[in-house]
Amino acid sequence: KMSPVFLLLLVFTGNVGATLEKGLPRREPRRLSCVRCCGPAEQPVSIVSSRYTRMSSDPSYSVPKVQPTIDITILKGEKGEMGERGYPGAVGKAGERGLRGFNGRKGQKGQPGPQGHSCKQLYAAFSVGRRKPLHSSDYFQHVTFDTEFVNLYKHFNMFSGKFFCYVAGIYYFSLNVHTWNFKETYLHLMKNEKEVAILYAQPSDRSIMQSQSLMLDLQEGEEVWVRMFKRERENAIYSEESDVYIIFNGHLIKPAVE
């Protein structure tokens, strides 16, 4: 059984609650929003950091990116002077041979050559000797020859002692003489009227063989011959009737027109 005091408290409490509900304005119940609890491995995020995350992810709150630009013309200096030339580098390996090029243009027609001769032979050779000794008596003395070894097509004139060039080209000539004891030997090998080579030997108590040779480029009509030159001393060349000690040779090496 409840006591009379407890029952009175209950009645009084209920009346007071009803009186308060009638006197105060009635409010709507507050709706609580759902909040996600963090998991066991997650840490709670602060309000400031979560707000910054929402603002940065939202396009309306995005922060503009600043890209600095540098004016290169301000940093570029004046053009410097050209330096000294460096040493050449090492030579590279030779490259492969290239393809053959195209044929060039045809050249102009050349000038016509000299008129040939149907009977002319492109050969010349002679070898002549002298069996008689010779002493100089004049300032210049023509040396003639009396023995004919070879005289192809008679280009060497035995009477004048001169070789006449019928075939232009390169010729080889040689002159061999025997000196005289205690006498000077001085000869000129002549081309037309000009000396081109000298054969010389000083006086000696013994006689020796002396020679001279050369090549000449001759034109048609030119002559080659030998002359003795007189100086202060007696000039002479030795030979005998029984043998030949003085020999003059010449032959064509290459004709000018083949």
Side-chain angles (χ1 to χ4, degrees):
K1 291 182 182 180
M2 296 182 182
S3 64
V5 178
F6 183 75
L7 291 174
L8 289 174
L9 290 175
L10 289 176
V11 173
F12 179 76
T13 304
N15 292 336
V16 172
T19 304
L20 292 174
E21 289 178 1
K22 290 179 180 180
L24 295 176
R26 190 169 182 175
R27 296 180 181 178
E28 293 181 2
R30 185 177 179 183
R31 297 179 181 178
L32 300 176
S33 59
C34 297
V35 178
R36 180 179 178 275
C37 296
C38 54
E42 297 180 355
Q43 297 293 332
V45 183
S46 64
I47 299 173
V48 178
S49 60
S50 62
R51 183 180 178 184
Y52 176 76
T53 304
R54 291 196 306 270
M55 292 178 64
S56 59
S57 60
D58 192 350
S60 59
Y61 293 100
S62 60
V63 181
K65 294 182 180 179
V66 180
Q67 296 182 353
T69 57
I70 301 175
D71 191 356
I72 301 178
T73 58
I74 299 176
L75 302 178
K76 186 177 181 181
E78 296 181 357
K79 185 177 181 179
E81 298 180 356
M82 182 179 291
E84 298 181 356
R85 186 174 182 180
Y87 295 101
V91 180
K93 296 181 180 180
E96 297 181 358
R97 185 174 182 179
L99 300 176
R100 184 175 182 179
F102 298 101
N103 294 331
R105 295 182 179 180
K106 187 177 180 180
Q108 298 180 356
K109 188 176 181 180
Q111 298 292 332
Q115 185 176 2
H117 194 281
S118 59
C119 298
K120 191 172 185 178
Q121 301 292 332
L122 298 181
Y123 301 99
F126 73 91
S127 179
V128 294
R130 181 181 175 90
R131 295 179 182 270
K132 297 178 181 180
L134 182 64
H135 288 77
S136 61
S137 57
D138 298 326
Y139 189 67
F140 291 120
Q141 185 175 355
H142 196 143
V143 179
T144 58
F145 299 88
D146 52 27
T147 303
E148 182 181 270
F149 297 107
V150 175
N151 191 6
L152 190 62
Y153 306 120
K154 303 299 180 180
H155 290 179
F156 189 89
N157 191 327
M158 297 295 295
F159 179 77
S160 64
K162 293 182 178 182
F163 168 76
F164 186 86
C165 178
Y166 287 95
V167 183
I170 306 297
Y171 284 80
Y172 175 83
F173 296 95
S174 64
L175 176 63
N176 300 275
V177 300
H178 194 284
T179 63
W180 205 306
N181 295 9
F182 304 105
K183 295 182 181 181
E184 190 177 41
T185 302
Y186 204 121
L187 300 172
H188 282 160
L189 191 60
M190 305 291 295
K191 177 183 176 182
N192 299 326
E193 298 301 322
K194 182 179 180 181
E195 60 273 12
V196 292
I198 297 174
L199 188 153
Y200 176 76
Q202 293 180 344
S204 175
D205 56 350
R206 294 186 304 172
S207 60
I208 58 174
M209 293 295 296
Q210 195 80 351
S211 65
Q212 179 65 282
S213 60
L214 79 163
M215 289 190 294
L216 294 175
D217 188 0
L218 300 181
Q219 302 297 323
E220 187 175 354
E222 293 185 316
E223 294 177 324
V224 179
W225 50 287
V226 180
R227 76 178 181 185
M228 182 178 287
F229 176 64
K230 184 179 180 181
R231 299 177 62 176
E232 293 80 7
R233 298 178 180 179
E234 186 178 5
N235 187 5
I237 50 178
Y238 177 81
S239 191
E240 294 179 356
E241 290 289 342
S242 60
D243 208 346
V244 179
Y245 287 86
I246 304 168
I247 297 176
F248 183 34
N249 300 321
H251 65 274
L252 177 65
I253 297 177
K254 183 180 183 301
V257 179
E258 296 183 354

